[in-house]
Amino acid sequence: MDHIDSLRCVDKPGLLLKSHDDKLTTAQIPYARSDSEWDNKPHSDLLSVIKEVKPHVLIGTSTKPKAFTEEIVKEMASHVDRPIILPLSNPTRLHEADPKDINEWTKGKALIATGSPFPPVKYNGKEYEIAECNNSTCFPGIGLGCVLSRTRLLSDKMLVAAVKALASQSPALKDPDKGLLPDVVNVREISVHIAKAVIQQAVEEDLAQEKGIPKDDETLEEWIREQMWDPVYRPLRRVDMRTASKHAKGEMKRAGSMSVEEAVW
């Protein structure tokens, strides 16, 4: 199924339909549904659409606080074993639902990720980690893969490969009580795996221009790590200009270079 065909978007007028026409933004037009699909079906609010579609994933980007009500969340949980519920609006005061409430309303079944950081929540004596759905877990690896492969284009398939690489590192795969996404503090190692997937896809699509890219996973990962920027800086020490060396003052010349004074004057 086409990824657009599997989505239902709800905004102020309810489910987005082609008949909304001038009410739709340019970005919304591809997601508008045919009116004939919804003849004699209620679609003016989110709850009605959920009852009809029975979705597995609910994504909130509305910036409307508490938009995911108890009734809506319970309806999701009534037809999905583990509903994925993502209240992504931020800052925290704009989130569509509190993870603590979502967890209680679904009896601990929901897989939750939020747009802002939240502490772990408890239900029936168990603690559940709440993952922050932060794009910084994905973008650095995508950029790294593009730079190292010297790809001509960033294709849709490369983005899909990046997302799959991120998903494969979900802590929830090993422990259902852990976060849906890996923590941003692990972004360096996450980026290696994402960059590897991006590079391999670029090679497969004949988009990579870099020569000698390793073919096996282990060697490719090492190749990526060797070229990653390491944020290590020289220590700085305050010195008195009267006793400072020429090097400290920036007066030491290299061939073809000017001193600080020459550059200023």
Side-chain angles (χ1 to χ4, degrees):
M1 182 181 291
D2 184 272
H3 71 283
I4 289 181
D5 193 51
S6 65
L7 298 176
R8 306 292 187 279
C9 294
V10 179
D11 206 339
K12 291 178 182 178
L15 180 71
L16 299 185
L17 299 174
K18 294 187 184 300
S19 61
H20 289 144
D21 199 17
D22 58 349
K23 293 181 181 178
L24 300 174
T25 67
T26 302
Q28 289 174 336
I29 290 173
Y31 299 95
R33 311 295 300 186
S34 171
D35 290 65
S36 60
E37 294 178 27
W38 288 83
D39 284 345
N40 302 316
K41 296 178 183 177
H43 55 266
S44 61
D45 60 274
L46 180 58
L47 179 60
S48 298
V49 176
I50 288 175
K51 286 181 176 179
E52 180 65 31
V53 177
K54 297 179 173 52
H56 293 79
V57 183
L58 180 60
I59 303 173
T61 58
S62 66
T63 67
K64 183 180 179 182
K66 310 299 181 184
F68 295 170
T69 64
E70 181 176 357
E71 189 177 9
I72 284 171
V73 171
K74 284 185 173 179
E75 178 63 30
M76 279 282 297
S78 69
H79 56 76
V80 181
D81 287 338
R82 298 216 68 187
I84 299 174
I85 302 179
L86 313 175
L88 300 184
S89 292
N90 56 42
T92 306
R93 62 183 173 80
L94 299 179
H95 60 72
E96 286 80 6
D98 191 304
K100 181 177 181 297
D101 291 334
I102 295 173
N103 214 40
E104 290 180 358
W105 296 337
T106 63
K107 299 181 180 179
K109 295 194 328 180
L111 287 164
I112 307 167
T114 57
S116 300
F118 278 87
V121 299
K122 290 185 178 180
Y123 178 77
N124 276 354
K126 290 179 66 176
E127 186 172 87
Y128 299 82
E129 291 184 11
I130 304 300
E132 182 183 358
C133 190
N134 193 316
N135 57 20
S136 64
T137 56
C138 205
F139 284 178
I142 294 173
L144 181 62
C146 289
V147 169
L148 295 186
S149 65
R150 294 178 57 237
T151 181
R152 293 186 290 109
L153 299 168
L154 175 57
S155 70
D156 289 348
K157 289 183 178 180
M158 289 166 68
L159 290 175
V160 171
V163 172
K164 287 182 176 179
L166 177 62
S168 70
Q169 296 178 76
S170 169
L173 292 174
K174 296 180 179 179
D175 183 341
D177 300 333
K178 295 293 186 181
L180 184 59
L181 292 168
D183 198 298
V184 70
V185 299
N186 301 316
V187 69
R188 190 174 179 87
E189 187 60 24
I190 295 167
S191 294
V192 172
H193 294 282
I194 292 176
K196 180 181 71 173
V198 169
I199 292 169
Q200 289 174 330
Q201 185 61 43
V203 170
E204 184 175 324
E205 294 184 72
D206 198 25
L207 295 173
Q209 300 178 96
E210 181 63 34
K211 305 298 182 184
I213 296 175
K215 295 190 181 334
D216 68 279
D217 286 3
E218 188 174 339
T219 308
L220 179 54
E221 286 183 15
E222 186 59 30
W223 184 78
I224 292 168
R225 287 190 176 93
E226 287 176 352
Q227 298 181 83
M228 290 177 76
W229 172 61
D230 196 8
V232 176
Y233 300 91
R234 291 183 303 155
L236 298 178
R237 181 168 57 89
R238 185 181 179 86
V239 297
D240 189 323
M241 286 296 288
R242 293 171 298 180
T243 59
S245 67
K246 287 186 176 182
H247 187 275
K249 291 179 181 178
E251 295 174 353
M252 294 293 289
K253 288 188 179 182
R254 295 179 182 172
S257 66
M258 298 183 294
S259 69
V260 173
E261 287 82 357
E262 289 171 326
V264 172
W265 293 103

